[in-house]
Amino acid sequence: MKVVDRITQNRTWKALFRIETVTQNRVWQSIFRQGYPSTDENRAKVILNSLFFHIHPVRVRKHTLKVTYTYGLGLISFFLFGVLVVTGILLMFMYVPSVDRAYDDIQILQTSVTFGMLLRNLHRWAAHGMVLMVFLHMLRVFYTGGYKTPREFNWIIGVFLFLITLFLSFTGYLLPWDQLSYWAITVGTNIAGYVPMLGEKIRFFLLGAKEVGEPALLRFYVLHVIFLPTILTLLIAVHFWRIRKDGGLSAPSPKATPDPPMALNIPPNNGDARTIFPRDPRKTYGLMELVRGTSPMVEKGPEDTVTSWPNLLIWEVLIGLGVIVALLIWSLVLNAPLREIANPDVTENPAKAPWYFLNLQELLLHMNPTLAGVLVPGALVLALIILPYLDRDRADVGIWFASKIGKKMVLWSSIYTTVALIGLVLFDEYVRVRSLVSQPEILPGWIIPVGLMFILIAGLYLVIYRWRPTLREIFIAYFTGFVVTYLILTIIGTVFRGLGMHLTLPWQLPPGAFTL
Amino acid sequence: MSQRVVDQSSILHRRQLSRRDFLTYMWLAAAGLLAAEGGIGTVASLWPRVQAGGFGGKIRAGDVDDFPLGSLTYFKEGRFYISHVEAGLLAFYRKCTHLGCVVPWRPDERSEDNLAPQGRFNCPCHSSIFDRYGLVHAGPAPRPLDIFPITIDGGLVIVDTGTIIQRAGFKESQVAKV
Ligand code: HEM
Ligand code: FES
């Protein structure tokens, strides 16, 4: 002990190992223009002075920081995208998008490149995770009413973010050039071929040929590594910018009770709004930023805020670390799949797309491809886009599921949709609509499925009618119907479809029928 | 005062296009034109120059006698099957009419036609089932298997894989008589 003291309790040591030695010099101070953010002034400056931090507000609402409000889902999506960019750039050093080399390159990556398998796993699982997280983020925004005025436009940007995330996954799926890639893209682009009028042209343009081959691989590669990521990056920038300009995250409208009188013994600069916005006639407010939303309340700090440093930033660091740790563990445990090299002569049985497209593939089993692959998804996207313009009541913004009735809507709509869908899928498998009516083709392909959809939609209204729901609550019921449909079809497609895409119990699936 | 001036000008120009509006429209039109040119130009330059891969010519499939009644023969290079039905020969394009998977012939599955007790096409992608006539018996395929024209020249069967014929059902006129 004495020895240690001897070493540390002297001026030389102290001069060397004080934080001031690092921060109190001209180089450091030329980079960071404020002192250590231990005062509110410096906490504001640290945000304002940095390119990377300045997308944050200086102060955030306490409500925004509640984990149970956002679950950090948007942020997780963002970090996953970051991981994808980094691992993707590394992968580009080792991959050539040509039919002769692509598959070999992936095999070499897995077997000979140091950490190659891990790299591929990270990229693949981050992509899957991102699809999932973006979808969950959309659910959270919907159920908390985050899309309402003034956030309509940001919701629309979000819808496009979701679509581009899906396209990114889809284009990436072709690159390993194995059997999974080849047939998933064949089926996927054939769906594009069913777009009315222009379909075949679109497909030809996308593939660069009549069938999936060299030109398709190159085209998908370019879309995947530069075109779509650039657009996604730009849209994310707009998305974040709009969050700021829309007045931060949505929150329930503040209660109009003034803060308790300032407590004199609270030490200043502890980040509590009350101490910084005291009831003091000499205090003036300056205009710092123009945002939409209601202005600060009289005798209340601006909506119960705390400084972003460290209250918000610590969460971002933690979430970022959590994402990386979880992804690493997952990637060490589970390898990305690679089948035999693509063979245009033999279709895998069953031939499945990645899991997040299996809902679509499931629909394709039951109706005309134009309907299942183009019109139904198109109508859904359109509905999502116009949603914020239909639902204009702002009373329940920031409240999960809006109200007690809203929660009932979620429950009953889930039950209704689950029962109806499972019933329909079982019916079409074991009784088969087509064996009852097969001619003319328009009956099983169009009229029966469209009719059933309308009956299901009307039926849901009958179920929820007894609670006299408001417009928002009706939307909650239908949105829940959409989400549950999406989930159930995905689950059926992923673990209940075996040889020839027939219904099979999960533990009886043939090898290869379950692929992520 | 200024209020009045504004009012007057708006009355004066109510029915005419003001110069400012005209110029605004012109700028917008020019921008639109530029965007359209850029878009069309990009699509045109990226438009695929290669045409359909490999197959596409006339292929000699063999002698008429190679295809007995009720038989199915696969031609991998030509990407077609030859089926001998009662009326004559049919050449099916192997691509599923639903979403383009290759439909394999399953000789051991229960037949859907009356030519033989066993054998049918099962599409692995969404389980469409086709019979020896190429007709759909189950699944989402919207039309029967597409066919190629067959000519028979002195007992030699020739399939023209350059012409894909879509059809709504089976007709005698589709077969090559033997
Ligand atoms: C690449 C995908 C996306 C990323 C990286 C992203 C990122 C974020 C982040 C970081 C936030 C802050 C709050 C939070 O974490 O929940 C946010 C909020 C928001 N996002 Fe996204 N998002 C994406 C996709 C979407 C989608 C698909 C939608 C909806 C269709 C959407 C709509 C919104 C809206 C409306 C807000 C504001 C919500 C509020 O104020 O309560 N975003 N986004
Ligand atoms: S591709 Fe054959 S049934 Fe869908």
Side-chain angles (χ1 to χ4, degrees), chain B residues 68-148:
Chain B
L69 183 66
S71 72
L72 252 136
T73 320
Y74 181 37
F75 293 84
K76 192 163 137 187
E77 300 304 316
R79 306 184 188 175
F80 61 84
Y81 291 96
I82 288 193
S83 169
H84 191 163
V85 297
E86 265 158 1
L89 297 182
L90 281 165
F92 300 132
Y93 188 14
R94 71 176 183 189
K95 197 173 149 186
C96 181
T97 52
H98 183 225
L99 292 173
C101 292
V102 170
V103 262
W105 174 249
R106 293 264 167 259
D108 305 326
E109 300 254 4
R110 182 171 50 82
S111 167
E112 299 284 344
D113 51 57
N114 48 19
L115 291 174
Q118 281 183 321
R120 67 181 187 199
F121 295 99
N122 277 6
C123 181
C125 289
H126 314 96
S127 63
S128 283
I129 293 174
F130 306 88
D131 64 12
R132 283 182 173 75
Y133 295 85
L135 299 179
V136 188
H137 283 271
R143 56 170 198 276
L145 290 174
D146 298 337
I147 54 174
F148 297 120

Side-chain angles (χ1 to χ4, degrees), chain A residues 143-189:
Chain A
Y143 284 120
T144 57
Y147 57 85
K148 298 185 182 204
T149 318
R151 299 182 177 81
E152 304 96 327
F153 184 65
N154 218 12
W155 167 266
I156 295 181
I157 303 248
V159 174
F160 284 98
L161 284 173
F162 179 50
L163 293 180
I164 292 177
T165 305
L166 287 179
F167 285 138
L168 263 170
S169 302
F170 184 64
T171 48
Y173 211 69
L174 180 62
L175 304 184
W177 202 252
D178 66 345
Q179 279 287 68
L180 279 177
S181 318
Y182 188 89
W183 292 104
I185 303 308
T186 297
V187 169
T189 52

Side-chain angles (χ1 to χ4, degrees), chain A residues 494-510:
Chain A
T494 309
V495 291
F496 286 98
R497 291 279 175 195
L499 281 183
M501 296 297 272
H502 285 295
L503 280 187
T504 315
L505 290 171
W507 49 94
Q508 290 168 351
L509 285 181

Side-chain angles (χ1 to χ4, degrees), chain A residues 464-481:
Chain A
I464 60 173
Y465 173 72
R466 42 192 292 241
W467 289 288
R468 308 288 140 125
T470 62
L471 189 62
R472 163 91 170 127
E473 285 152 0
I474 295 177
F475 282 153
I476 290 183
Y478 282 104
F479 187 82
T480 306

Side-chain angles (χ1 to χ4, degrees), chain A residues 178-204:
Chain A
D178 66 345
Q179 279 287 68
L180 279 177
S181 318
Y182 188 89
W183 292 104
I185 303 308
T186 297
V187 169
T189 52
N190 267 305
I191 295 176
Y194 276 99
V195 173
M197 322 282 288
L198 289 176
E200 276 307 316
K201 290 238 157 59
I202 295 177
R203 174 175 148 79
F204 186 51

Side-chain angles (χ1 to χ4, degrees), chain A residues 397-455:
Chain A
V397 169
I399 303 168
W400 273 92
F401 308 117
S403 61
K404 267 211 173 104
I405 297 187
K407 285 183 189 144
K408 283 213 172 86
M409 300 287 115
V410 175
L411 178 68
W412 287 102
S413 177
S414 305
I415 295 175
Y416 170 86
T417 316
T418 310
V419 172
L421 272 181
I422 293 182
L424 283 178
V425 168
L426 288 176
F427 184 85
D428 206 21
E429 176 79 12
Y430 296 109
V431 185
R432 297 214 330 239
V433 174
R434 258 164 215 276
S435 68
L436 301 179
V437 253
S438 66
Q439 288 301 322
E441 172 57 32
I442 192 167
L443 273 176
W446 288 89
I447 296 179
I448 294 177
V450 172
L452 276 172
M453 283 179 218
F454 275 105
I455 291 175

